């Protein structure tokens, strides 16, 4: 719990509630004081398998082109689970690695994963969330604030978050849809805000294209 709190930016109370909820949904399994992947998490990993190789090459393109950390993420309760990560040289390993869990409400990937959720679904998902203990200076602090941002981002098909998860970081994310049109994952690029000053529109376009390419691997 302490390690999760330190690496995710959550306080200890949030980390404890998160672990309890993840065990309850079989995302994690508890063995004494240790936690391991549960049945649900293993199912997510299996589902990602067929396009894992292709996604790595695509994410590496984003790293080389923009100096970004690039991710494929899935929804995991009220958190975002990174199932694939390709890192830029500036990244702190503990913050950036695959397998990280980040709050759905203050990340670009979280917003992209919520594009098809109704207000009732978002309120239920985050009903016990206090919107404190994590997030940067521009993070939403209420369900209504989050929903307004989701609606605005969904209208353009890409979520753009500035200093919402971490200060002075730009995160651009788009949903990856399965053949039925449902959101299966999100692809994201994360760059220091200053480095994205001249490339912002190009990054947005590239993430939209990356989501389309990743979706083609799910056919």
């Amino acid at each position: 719990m302490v390690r999760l709190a330190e690496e995710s930016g959550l306080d200890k109370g949030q980390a404890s509630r998160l672990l309890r909820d993840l065990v309850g949904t079989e995302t994690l399994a508890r063995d004494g004081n240790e936690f391991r992947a549960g049945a649900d998490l293993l199912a997510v990993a299996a589902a990602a398998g067929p396009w894992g190789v292709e996604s790595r090459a695509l994410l590496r393109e984003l790293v080389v082109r923009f100096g970004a950390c690039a991710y494929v993420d899935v929804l995991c309760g009220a958190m975002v689970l990174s199932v694939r990560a390709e890192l830029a040289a500036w990244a702190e390993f503990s913050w950036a690695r695959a397998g990280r869990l980040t709050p759905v409400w203050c990340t670009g990937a979280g917003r992209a994963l919520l594009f098809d959720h109704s207000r009732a679904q978002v309120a239920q998902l985050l009903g016990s969330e206090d919107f404190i203990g994590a997030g940067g200076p521009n993070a939403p602090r209420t369900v209504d604030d989050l929903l307004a941002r989701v609606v605005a981002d969904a209208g353009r098909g890409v979520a753009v978050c500035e200093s919402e998860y971490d200060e002075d970081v730009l995160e651009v994310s788009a949903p990856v849809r399965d053949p039925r049109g449902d959101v299966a994952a999100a692809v994201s690029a994360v760059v220091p805000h200053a480095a994205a000053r001249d490339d912002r529109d190009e990054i947005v376009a590239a993430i939209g294209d990356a989501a389309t390419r990743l979706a083609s691997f799910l056919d």
Side-chain angles (χ1 to χ4, degrees), residues 84-219:
R84 173 73 70 181
E86 294 294 330
L87 309 182
W90 57 268
E92 295 182 22
F93 180 73
S94 63
W95 174 83
R97 66 173 180 248
R100 68 175 186 161
L101 284 164
T102 52
V104 70
W105 52 269
C106 63
T107 55
R111 288 235 282 278
L113 291 165
L114 295 179
F115 275 8
D116 292 348
H117 281 56
S118 67
R119 189 193 190 289
Q121 289 172 321
V122 173
Q124 181 178 18
L125 184 67
L126 299 174
S128 61
E129 181 59 61
D130 53 17
F131 291 87
I132 61 174
N138 295 337
R141 297 300 174 186
T142 66
V143 169
D144 286 338
D145 187 4
L146 172 62
L147 281 167
R149 302 186 197 198
V150 169
V151 169
D153 287 334
R156 63 185 166 193
V158 177
V160 179
C161 300
E162 300 186 59
S163 299
E164 294 192 29
Y165 178 66
D166 198 21
E167 188 172 4
D168 296 326
V169 168
L170 175 72
E171 182 178 3
V172 181
S173 308
V176 179
R177 296 184 180 275
D178 65 21
R180 296 177 301 178
D182 297 329
V183 176
V187 58
S188 305
V190 181
V191 295
H193 191 269
R197 185 176 296 113
D198 298 327
D199 294 334
R200 180 188 174 107
D201 292 343
E202 192 176 351
I203 294 171
V204 170
I207 288 299
D209 178 66
T212 300
R213 291 168 61 190
L214 280 174
S216 71
F217 302 140
L218 297 176
D219 292 336

Side-chain angles (χ1 to χ4, degrees), residues 29-95:
R30 185 165 190 169
D31 183 7
N33 292 324
E34 299 295 324
F35 295 88
R36 56 181 172 79
D40 190 57
L41 183 54
L42 292 173
V44 168
W51 46 293
V53 174
E54 292 88 349
S55 67
R56 181 180 184 187
L58 189 150
L59 296 183
R60 285 300 305 165
E61 290 180 22
L62 295 171
V63 174
V64 172
R65 184 175 176 185
F66 300 111
C69 290
Y71 299 93
V72 174
D73 300 297
V74 296
L75 195 61
C76 186
M79 301 293 284
V80 172
L81 171 67
S82 296
V83 296
R84 173 73 70 181
E86 294 294 330
L87 309 182
W90 57 268
E92 295 182 22
F93 180 73
S94 63
W95 174 83

